[in-house]
Amino acid sequence: LRDLVGKKDRRDLASITTRVVDDKLYTSSGIVAERLEAFDQPERGTIEVTDGAWGITIRDVFAKNCLYAVDIQDHDQHRDGLVKDVQISNVFAEDSTYAGRSET
């Protein structure tokens, strides 16, 4: 995921997550997300990583008037669904609630 810009989106600009089908976890891994910008999303943010994603690199993230720039969440949907090994760098939030947020 590279060079994404969003304004007034209904959801996060980018979302990296997993899917559980018939109690089997299908993970997202080895993803690089960089040069992401979100504007005017007071209930969401630039990027979220959730539910079992691992080996994720996030860099060069900007948020203006958003809830967050980067959000890490585990919704406890599966016993192996913990977010692991996420590298985050160069995050800037302006007029936002959080630059980085984590909810587990």
Side-chain angles (χ1 to χ4, degrees):
L1 302 169
R2 290 183 172 92
D3 302 314
L4 302 178
V5 177
K7 185 173 183 181
K8 296 183 181 180
D9 296 318
R10 290 187 181 104
R11 301 286 303 180
D12 296 293
L13 174 68
S15 179
I16 300 171
T17 190
T18 61
R19 177 89 45 207
V20 177
V21 177
D22 296 329
D23 203 37
K24 184 174 179 182
L25 185 70
Y26 295 88
T27 61
S28 296
S29 64
I31 296 172
V32 175
E34 61 187 354
R35 298 184 303 274
L36 309 176
E37 298 180 12
F39 301 88
D40 302 320
Q41 295 176 199
E43 295 181 17
R44 298 281 188 233
T46 308
I47 185 168
E48 70 170 354
V49 179
T50 67
D51 302 329
W54 60 277
I56 308 300
T57 301
I58 299 170
R59 56 183 168 241
D60 303 326
V61 177
F62 177 77
K64 182 171 184 180
N65 193 29
C66 296
L67 181 58
Y68 49 78
V70 177
D71 192 30
I72 308 294
Q73 293 187 28
D74 285 318
H75 296 107
D76 196 32
Q77 294 182 3
H78 195 274
R79 65 186 174 278
D80 297 318
L82 297 176
V83 174
K84 303 174 195 168
D85 189 26
V86 178
Q87 307 297 315
I88 302 169
S89 63
N90 199 18
V91 175
F92 183 79
E94 180 180 330
D95 297 326
S96 299
T97 306
Y98 305 99
R101 181 176 85 158
S102 177
E103 291 185 353
T104 56

